Amino acid sequence: MTQSYETVPKMQRFSIGFLGTFIIGFGAVWIWVASNFIVFMDRGYAMWAAKMQIAHNCTMGRLAILGDSRPMADIIPPLVGAGVVNLAFGGVTAVENYIFAKQILNCSNLPKAVILSLTPVSFKKIGKLVDQAAYNGLLTFSDLEDIRNHTREMNYGPYDLDFKQDIELRVKEVGYATRFPPYYFSQVKDAFISPHAWENKEVFDYTSKMYGWFWDFMPGNPFGHSHAEETGWDDFTPFPFSDYYLHQLLALFESKHIPVYFVAMPYNEDSFQIMKPEFIEAYTAYINSVVKQYPGTHILGPLFSSIPWDKCYDSYHLNPQGARMYSERLRQLLNSSHVEGGPYIADPEAIGNVNW
Amino acid sequence: MLFNSPVFIALFLPLAWCGYRLCALLGTQIAKIWLIIASLCFYAWWNTSFTTLLCGSILFNYFIGLLIIRLQSYRFWQSFVLISGVTLNLLVLCFYKYLFSILQALRGAGLDVPFIIPDVAFFLGIPFVTLLHFPLRIADITLPLGISFFTFTQIGYLVDCKGNAVKDKQFPDYALFVTFFPHLIAGPILYHREMIPQFTNPATYRFNFDNVVLGLAIFLLGLAKKVVIADYFAVIANTTFSHVDHLSLLQAWSGTLSFTLQIYFDFSGYSEMAMGLALLFNLRFPANFDSPFKSTSIIEFWQRWHMTLTRYLTNYLYNPMALWIRRRRVARGKNISHHALTTVEGFGALVAFPTIITMMLAGIWHGAGLQYLVFGTLHGLYLTINHAWRIFRSKTARKAPHAIVQRFKTAGNIILTITAVIVANVFFRAVSVNDSLLILHSMLGMNELYGYNAFDAPPGLIEQWLVQDNRIHYIHNPYLSPAEIANIFSIVLTFLFIWTMPNILQIFSPYTPSLSIAQTPPSAFLRKCPSFILGIIIGLIAILGILNLTNNFIPFIYFKF
């Protein structure tokens, strides 16, 4: 290229303006995004953040509840007893619970016991949920690397990817780990159009105050009397990937001498009635076979039970009234089974904050 | 790998660029080889098996080119080799692009037609597993990415070899000319003679900070056009073109205009990204896009839209065809002077015929569907009418009107040109001619003017309806929905943006970012605009582009051709 005498300084001025704006501007956005998640992420994140803070501050109390969206919605810690925390996350599987349990067990004051509740469906889920957990900051890049390595050893699972997919995934995970703004910009835009920083703050505070419980669903019952997915199953075989991490999770607690109580959340009565006996038998056999391998792990209550429809929100989750009813039922169960850390007595002060 | 994917921007590009800079320190040949390897990796990222096809095609055409040059003194054999080479290239292109569509159409018509020989299919890169599932379905046949572009580039090279226009015969230069990743997938379609001098120039391999900044700025501007504007309109266009059976007038126009704006910014964004990437490597591409919606005629439109395809078709299809016609007319003792053009017969033979045929072929170059043929034919007719208007209109109509009248006339011409393009775009975007006609039917107001807004239903609701009884329920809403108002507003705003803003060639004209210059010189305001301020504005747009990187992830429209 031939450049005239006049264009060279012009180009320098352009370069300073362009690069200066781009580097400073993008850097400022990056810093803002990385330090203000609670301002722009959706309210689901606010609940995640509150739970992650409980784990980070090591305020687990006597009994920690781990699991997926069902215990997350169905168990109100203050109604179960003082010193109970609900650390279950929506949409997660044994994988995320294992990683989260590792974080919890770094604390000096460990819970006396753990309630673990995973839905049969969660043993047949792959990939996407781990992505959500990484997106929200629950899983770090090294956690994800661990998952990948274990998966490779097993030669099975969602991270059994080809070279190209592997690279693409790692690029994305580095993006999550560094909170690279493009991955979060759609949330920033939503927050700009409809600001919800204040609401997020409320959700965060409320979840913290309720020891990890926040009922995060829309009001009403949009799906009618729909059935749980398991009602269509004739058998039960977990994904080896999920099975592996369930064992890892239980072994982890076993190594710390923390008893684990496997609790199954109730199904709505319609689903319960049409659940196939072959599936019930296979699932029960599977859970029994797993529990048998860990002396510190027990099954608490029935693996299959039902609750009336008016206490349900959808095919899986209870509404706040249902959660209240179930939490009280669970407290009785804990006390009658003499679970470690008991007796469990409802916390009247905290209950006063529940908006029924 | 897409230019707008995080893996390209965050990993491939920095690696390719840094590797290139390091290799350039070691020697120009090493730098060339690095770029060839990087480009092949870029291509293989999509489908490794088709990299064999690309490499095979490069080797084949390189040796055919050498043979053509060697046979300089044997005109017959030279022509024979050229025709054979071009035919083989076109056969491979047709194999992937048209054969299976034709076979499927024939089978659809009840004819028992044979399928391909497995070994041939495997050699050409069709994954072996698909061959186990006979009969082969059309869905099993993947179109090799960028096959139209690299085939056209190489056919042009062969023709140039015969025309004695090829001086450099080094294989690395040729391989880099074909594979250089910024143009490999979707153009611009390059000429050997405009790239090889750059590849052989040692200055190309020296670090040039200005070109890096310029390339980065243009690349990020293109990215912003793609991810912020094109992808926004893509969502509206996709919804409209997937529900063609019941569109109101407003929806049909909104969807069609959205697609027109989508393809405008998609292609403009892609062309700028390609230009910017080339500049990062100290290379310049010819311009491919020059504000076509500012055109006052369809002839001008094609001089501004997909410019490298237009010049390719003109040089390698239209001109030879026109020359052949002229020779035939001369042989028959017919007139070929300018006066001959003013007769209907002369105009038909010398202008209309080659124009329509060229544009029909340009249409089916996009794909095997009948709708592409209609698209090409329409543009052929538009161009013919435009040429006829220039030739046959009365002398009084040619007089320059008053300045104000001229402005209105220009505005009218622009709107007429865009309207013609929009109508043709309906055929370009729709999945069939029937769908296109349904949309045009709605655009003419044969359905409701506005009010059916099934698309504005909350996300997930349409799916629920589909689950319930396998059909979409249309809700009659007598008012314009907020989404419809937002669509209208965004369309108007975007057209105003197109008509008032300068393009990349104008903005960066002092720095010659391309081998071509803008058809309209930059305005006085732009020339006076301080470079520092311009840098800040472009820096802000670049930030917007990067921030929207993972927004929708919609591939470039021209990637499928």
Side-chain angles (χ1 to χ4, degrees), chain A residues 49-111:
Chain A
K51 294 186 183 208
M52 286 193 283
Q53 180 152 303
I54 291 170
H56 185 256
N57 294 342
C58 295
T59 49
M60 260 79 66
R62 293 181 289 166
L63 181 75
I65 298 157
L66 297 179
D68 53 30
S69 65
R70 296 180 74 194
M72 178 193 89
D74 298 358
I75 303 177
I76 306 169
L79 290 177
V80 177
V84 176
V85 288
N86 187 334
L87 299 175
F89 292 95
V92 300
T93 63
V95 186
E96 296 90 339
N97 276 292
Y98 168 68
I99 306 284
F100 193 52
K102 281 209 300 187
Q103 291 175 24
I104 293 170
L105 295 180
N106 284 333
C107 293
S108 54
N109 55 330
L110 299 174

Side-chain angles (χ1 to χ4, degrees), chain A residues 1 18 164 168 182 185 189, chain B residues 45 284 535 547-548 550-551:
Chain A
M1 179 178 118
F18 170 69
K164 183 184 127 184
E168 283 171 350
F185 193 60
K189 274 193 289 190
Chain B
W45 194 263
R284 277 173 170 71
L547 288 176
N548 281 283
T550 61
N551 211 8

Side-chain angles (χ1 to χ4, degrees), chain B residues 389-550:
Chain B
W389 173 251
R390 286 185 177 184
I391 292 167
F392 295 109
R393 70 179 162 168
S394 66
K395 282 183 181 169
T396 48
R398 293 180 203 190
K399 279 185 183 171
H402 187 270
I404 297 170
V405 178
Q406 181 60 42
R407 284 195 174 185
F408 276 105
K409 204 178 154 192
T410 305
N413 287 344
I414 290 172
I415 289 169
L416 182 65
T417 305
I418 293 178
T419 309
V421 171
I422 289 167
V423 171
N425 276 351
V426 173
F427 290 92
F428 190 85
R429 173 60 180 81
V431 292
S432 66
V433 173
N434 193 39
D435 276 13
S436 314
L437 295 175
L438 282 171
I439 293 173
L440 288 171
H441 185 262
S442 304
M443 285 168 75
L444 290 170
M446 302 297 187
N447 291 337
E448 292 72 20
L449 295 183
Y450 65 91
Y452 280 85
N453 71 340
F455 310 151
D456 301 331
L461 203 56
I462 288 178
E463 287 79 357
Q464 274 185 49
W465 287 333
L466 281 171
V467 167
Q468 278 175 12
D469 61 1
N470 205 27
R471 63 185 284 267
I472 292 176
H473 293 243
Y474 293 95
I475 302 173
H476 183 69
N477 178 358
Y479 306 104
L480 286 177
S481 69
E484 283 171 324
I485 294 167
N487 288 353
I488 296 167
F489 186 69
S490 55
I491 289 167
V492 171
L493 208 67
T494 312
F495 269 109
L496 287 175
F497 176 82
I498 289 171
W499 287 324
T500 53
M501 290 292 134
N503 64 36
I504 290 296
L505 300 175
Q506 292 169 315
I507 293 170
F508 295 112
S509 61
Y511 319 120
T512 53
S514 154
L515 293 172
S516 348
I517 55 163
Q519 298 197 18
T520 316
S523 65
F525 176 77
L526 189 63
R527 284 200 300 271
K528 284 177 189 165
C529 180
S531 305
F532 182 70
I533 302 293
L534 198 65
I536 291 175
I537 294 167
I538 292 173
L540 291 172
I541 297 170
I543 293 172
L544 203 62
I546 284 281
L547 288 176
N548 281 283
L549 188 62
T550 61

Side-chain angles (χ1 to χ4, degrees), chain A residues 1 3 7 10-11 13-19 21-22 25-26 29 163-164 167-168 171 181-183 185-186 189, chain B residues 6 11 45 209-211 213 217 284 508 510-512 531-532 535-536 538-540 542-543 546-548 550-551:
Chain A
M1 179 178 118
Q3 284 180 322
T7 60
K10 242 184 154 182
M11 187 63 210
R13 286 197 294 272
F14 173 80
S15 301
I16 294 166
F18 170 69
L19 291 177
T21 306
F22 185 71
F26 190 71
V29 172
F163 175 74
K164 183 184 127 184
I167 297 285
E168 283 171 350
V171 168
Y183 288 103
F185 193 60
S186 57
K189 274 193 289 190
Chain B
L11 193 70
W45 194 263
F209 181 73
D210 289 354
N211 278 353
V213 175
R284 277 173 170 71
F508 295 112
Y511 319 120
T512 53
S531 305
F532 182 70
I536 291 175
I538 292 173
L540 291 172
I543 293 172
I546 284 281
L547 288 176
N548 281 283
T550 61
N551 211 8

